[in-house]
């Protein structure tokens, strides 16, 4: 459906936990669509459920979006013409609309207790009819009303769903229809006066002039209810936002990814050393394609190329290995200073450095050695810690590997050869060790250098050995080889 409305797209999470892969994929597509069309990206916090939403989760949501570079044009902290953008600050607005719907006869008070509703649902199930509100309180006799009031019942406000069906064109799924036999009258306001999602989301989308609702497929079935609210608000069909429901993101096991799964929260990936640009790149490819086979897209390219037509309608599968590979590529693409800035928080967090200029210089020199060898920033700690430990000892699981007679003999020969070196640089070190261990003793490189690597770095995983020894310096290198000889 062509539209000449100004494009206004919103990301509207309910921060009842950390944002996870599925939420952020939605946020990214919302942002990309707004950027691609030159429209506005609105960030709205749906925090009416104050028992489950916390201030920490809200702060974390803002932080996550900012970290990913998905800057919003309107929303918390930046404001905008249709604020406030926190639903908890808009309760009066929802109450006014609910009252209007009551006055218009679109909505009605419902006094049914949850026990009564449950009993009737049970009966519906037994009779094999679609369960849902049966419309009992659409008309209440004055006597009944008096009784309910005398009992002190607090009514909910319920929207009247007319007979018929709701049909709309989803930009991804095409024409979608819902028969109202399966969309019973629904609650807009709870007995305590608090609004439900369906009321708040629809009112806000209208009042914030949202033109496009791109969101997860799990919300598809709430669309006919939202459209019903638009109608009660007096909108005509051409004034509804366009809908595009994004396909599910599945886990590798084919189960739906969920925000309760801490392993898929974006905060977890950040702590594990994933780059924001890698996450955006990977998530962009999760259900969308740039139009060719490329797997490397920058945030700017995503914004440039994003169209809803290229969003797939089938579920996408989250593949941790692929994310890791993309992350490794993005790490390799960093220039040295940028790489340094990104790894410092990890090294400080892990207690490897405190951040003195001298330490930074050592890290700066070590980084080119490891840039090709890591897939996440957190791996830097393991790679460089040998350069910073005071009382160095070989890891408990690596120590036995150099305790046997042959390894000890190799280490002794290496020590003698290194002690005789007049210059200390990686070429000289390599030449000396090759001459002694490979040409002299006839050892294979793995045997020759494996033990020295463990003696020097404490582990069999390390940056390239000779460069590592140069960086560590003559004195400390010789001391470590010596210490490894029993
Ligand atoms: N607040 C809803 C949620 O987090 C999404 C609202 C919407 O996109 O319509 O599930």
């Amino acid at each position: 459906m062509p539209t000449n409305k100004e494009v206004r797209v919103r990301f509207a999470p309910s921060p009842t936990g950390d944002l996870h892969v599925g939420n952020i994929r939605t946020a990214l597509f919302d942002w990309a669509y707004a950027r691609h069309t030159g429209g506005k990206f609105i960030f709205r916090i749906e925090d009416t459920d104050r028992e489950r939403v916390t201030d920490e989760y809200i702060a974390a949501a803002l932080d996550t979006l900012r970290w990913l570079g998905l800057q919003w044009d309107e929303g918390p902290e930046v404001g905008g013409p249709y604020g406030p953008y926190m639903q908890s600050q808009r309760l009066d607005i929802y109450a006014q609309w609910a009252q209007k719907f009551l006055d218009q006869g679109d909505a009605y008070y419902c006094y049914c207790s949850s026990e009564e509703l449950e009993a009737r649902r049970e009966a519906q199930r037994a009779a094999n009819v679609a369960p849902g509100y049966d419309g009992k309180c659409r008309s209440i006799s004055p006597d009944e009303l008096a009784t309910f009031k005398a009992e002190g019942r607090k009514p909910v406000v319920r929207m009247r769903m007319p007979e018929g069906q709701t049909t709309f064109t989803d930009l991804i799924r095409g024409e979608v229809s819902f028969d109202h036999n399966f969309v019973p009258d629904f609650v807009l306001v709870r007995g305590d006066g608090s609004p439900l999602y369906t009321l708040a989301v629809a009112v806000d989308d209208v009042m914030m002039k949202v033109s496009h609702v791109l969101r997860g497929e799990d919300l598809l079935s709430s669309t006919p209810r939202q459209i019903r609210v638009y109608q009660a608000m007096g909108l005509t069909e051409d004034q509804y936002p366009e809908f595009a429901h994004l396909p599910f993101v599945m886990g590798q096991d084919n189960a739906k990814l969920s925000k309760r799964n801490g392993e898929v929260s974006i905060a977890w990936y950040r702590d594990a050393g994933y780059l924001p640009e890698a996450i955006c790149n990977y998530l962009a490819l999760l259900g969308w394609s740039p139009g060719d086979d490329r797997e490397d897209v920058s945030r700017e390219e995503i914004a440039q190329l994003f169209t809803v037509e290229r969003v797939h309608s089938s579920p996408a599968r989250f593949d941790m290995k692929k994310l890791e590979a993309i992350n490794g590529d993005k790490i390799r693409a960093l220039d040295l200073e940028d790489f340094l800035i990104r790894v410092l928080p990890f090294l400080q967090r892990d207690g490897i450095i405190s951040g003195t200029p001298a330490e930074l210089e050592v890290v700066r020199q070590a980084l080119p050695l490891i840039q090709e060898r890591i897939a996440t920033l957190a791996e830097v700690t393991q790679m460089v810690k040998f350069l910073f430990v005071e009382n160095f000892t070989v890891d408990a699981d690596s120590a036995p590997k150099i305790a046997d007679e042959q390894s000890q003999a190799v280490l002794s020969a290496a020590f003698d050869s290194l002690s005789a070196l007049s210059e200390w640089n990686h070429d000289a070190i390599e030449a000396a060790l090759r001459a002694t261990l490979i040409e002299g003793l006839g050892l294979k490189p793995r045997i020759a250098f494996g033990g020295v690597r463990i003696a020097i770095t404490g582990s069999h995983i390390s940056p390239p050995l000779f460069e590592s020894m140069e960086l560590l310096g003559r004195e400390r290198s010789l001391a470590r080889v010596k210490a490894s000889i029993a």
Side-chain angles (χ1 to χ4, degrees):
M1 220 187 288
T3 170
N4 47 17
K5 280 188 276 192
E6 186 204 4
V7 171
R8 295 177 52 81
V9 198
R10 88 306 195 269
F11 173 55
S14 307
T16 54
D18 283 325
L19 297 181
H20 60 115
V21 168
N23 299 123
I24 290 301
R25 201 261 322 240
T26 301
L28 176 67
F29 286 19
D30 286 329
W31 172 87
Y33 190 63
R35 291 291 168 267
H36 180 78
T37 54
K40 292 277 188 287
F41 176 49
I42 304 162
F43 186 17
R44 182 172 73 225
I45 302 287
E46 306 214 318
D47 59 342
T48 52
D49 183 358
R50 273 290 171 167
E51 277 177 15
R52 293 171 62 221
V53 175
T54 67
D55 288 340
E56 288 72 28
Y57 287 139
I58 294 174
L62 268 63
D63 196 41
T64 297
L65 247 62
R66 257 194 300 261
W67 178 69
L68 290 167
L70 307 181
Q71 189 54 53
W72 51 99
D73 304 307
E74 295 173 27
E77 293 180 357
V78 308
Y82 304 103
Y85 294 87
M86 309 267 289
Q87 288 191 330
S88 59
Q89 294 169 16
R90 302 174 61 80
L91 299 178
D92 289 352
I93 299 173
Y94 311 132
Q96 281 161 21
W97 280 106
Q99 187 56 52
K100 187 158 192 289
F101 301 160
L102 285 165
D103 296 345
Q104 290 170 176
D106 285 310
Y108 58 90
Y109 285 116
C110 167
Y111 288 86
C112 298
S113 69
S114 44
E115 294 75 29
E116 288 164 351
L117 292 172
E118 185 43 49
R120 267 143 55 202
R121 264 198 296 271
E122 196 52 55
Q124 286 169 326
R125 274 193 287 268
N128 241 339
V129 288
Y133 189 68
D134 55 9
K136 177 168 184 306
C137 290
R138 281 183 172 206
S139 51
I140 304 180
S141 70
D143 283 353
E144 244 180 334
L145 186 60
T147 314
F148 291 150
K149 285 192 166 163
E151 286 173 5
R153 291 195 188 199
K154 294 252 179 290
V156 301
V157 177
R158 217 178 254 285
M159 184 65 107
R160 193 187 292 271
M161 227 27 216
E163 304 230 314
Q165 56 178 27
T166 298
T167 302
F168 62 95
T169 305
D170 185 278
L171 298 177
I172 295 169
R173 310 168 61 92
E175 194 174 283
V176 184
S177 252
F178 288 90
D179 182 333
H180 293 184
N181 284 324
F182 301 99
V183 190
D185 293 357
F186 55 96
V187 178
L188 296 167
V189 182
R190 293 187 188 87
D192 65 5
S194 60
L196 269 99
Y197 160 71
T198 322
L199 172 64
V201 75
V203 164
D204 284 350
D205 285 342
V206 172
M207 297 196 69
M208 294 179 181
K209 301 206 175 350
V210 168
S211 66
H212 292 77
V213 174
L214 273 72
R215 60 179 178 186
E217 193 180 289
D218 50 326
L219 292 164
L220 181 67
S221 64
S222 74
T223 309
R225 286 186 278 270
Q226 281 160 238
I227 288 179
R228 177 70 186 101
V229 177
Y230 303 153
Q231 290 164 348
M233 291 175 83
L235 265 65
T236 50
E237 206 175 323
D238 56 316
Q239 296 171 313
Y240 303 166
E242 308 265 2
F243 285 93
H245 286 92
L246 307 170
F248 283 124
V249 181
M250 314 296 277
Q252 254 144 335
D253 49 1
N254 272 339
K256 203 184 143 207
L257 284 181
S258 106
K259 77 170 97 177
R260 280 169 196 83
N261 183 346
E263 262 205 298
V264 294
S265 82
I266 296 301
W268 184 88
Y269 288 104
R270 184 179 180 172
D271 286 348
Y274 287 83
L275 307 182
E277 57 267 49
I279 292 181
C280 288
N281 185 152
Y282 179 66
L283 292 185
L285 302 178
L286 214 52
W288 172 77
S289 60
D292 49 32
D293 291 341
R294 83 175 87 180
E295 300 226 312
D296 178 19
V297 279
S298 66
R299 230 171 354 231
E300 292 65 36
E301 287 169 318
I302 298 167
Q304 225 167 55
L305 300 169
F306 187 85
T307 60
V308 176
E309 289 73 41
R310 292 223 197 89
V311 175
H312 313 150
S313 56
S314 49
R317 195 171 318 267
F318 184 75
D319 180 351
M320 183 85 174
K321 287 260 174 311
K322 191 155 172 199
L323 169 58
E324 205 175 287
I326 289 177
N327 203 56
D329 290 342
K330 298 283 185 192
I331 287 178
R332 282 184 281 283
L334 295 174
D335 67 44
L336 184 57
E337 282 312 303
D338 195 2
F339 190 20
L340 181 65
I341 290 167
R342 310 259 197 147
V343 298
L344 290 181
F346 289 87
L347 294 175
Q348 286 173 320
R349 174 193 80 181
D350 295 340
I352 303 299
I353 60 168
S354 59
T356 64
E359 288 170 333
L360 296 198
E361 199 36 48
V362 176
V363 177
R364 188 179 277 112
Q365 288 175 32
L367 289 182
L369 306 180
I370 62 176
Q371 196 160 10
E372 298 287 326
R373 298 183 172 222
I374 56 170
T376 62
L377 296 174
E379 289 167 55
V380 171
T381 291
Q382 162 64 25
M383 286 291 196
V384 306
K385 73 169 188 244
F386 74 97
L387 292 166
F388 295 98
V389 272
E390 284 288 333
N391 303 311
F392 180 82
T393 49
V394 167
D395 290 350
D397 51 335
S398 297
K401 296 194 184 114
I402 51 170
D404 61 286
E405 210 170 306
Q406 188 195 20
S407 304
Q408 289 285 305
V410 173
L411 286 167
S412 293
F415 180 77
D416 293 342
S417 153
L418 292 167
S419 310
L421 273 180
S422 54
E423 294 180 83
W424 193 260
N425 61 53
H426 65 92
D427 286 333
I429 295 166
E430 177 168 7
L433 289 179
R434 280 192 187 280
T436 308
L437 305 178
I438 295 185
E439 282 138 42
L441 298 179
L443 297 170
K444 296 217 164 28
R446 200 176 52 84
I447 306 285
F449 305 137
V452 182
R453 183 187 302 280
I454 289 175
I456 293 287
T457 69
S459 165
H460 59 283
I461 303 162
S462 81
L465 178 61
F466 313 120
E467 283 85 350
S468 297
M469 292 172 77
E470 177 180 337
L471 211 51
L472 188 63
R474 179 192 183 101
E475 208 180 306
R476 284 197 291 170
S477 298
L478 285 174
R480 286 183 191 184
V481 178
K482 186 159 193 202
S484 69
I485 304 166

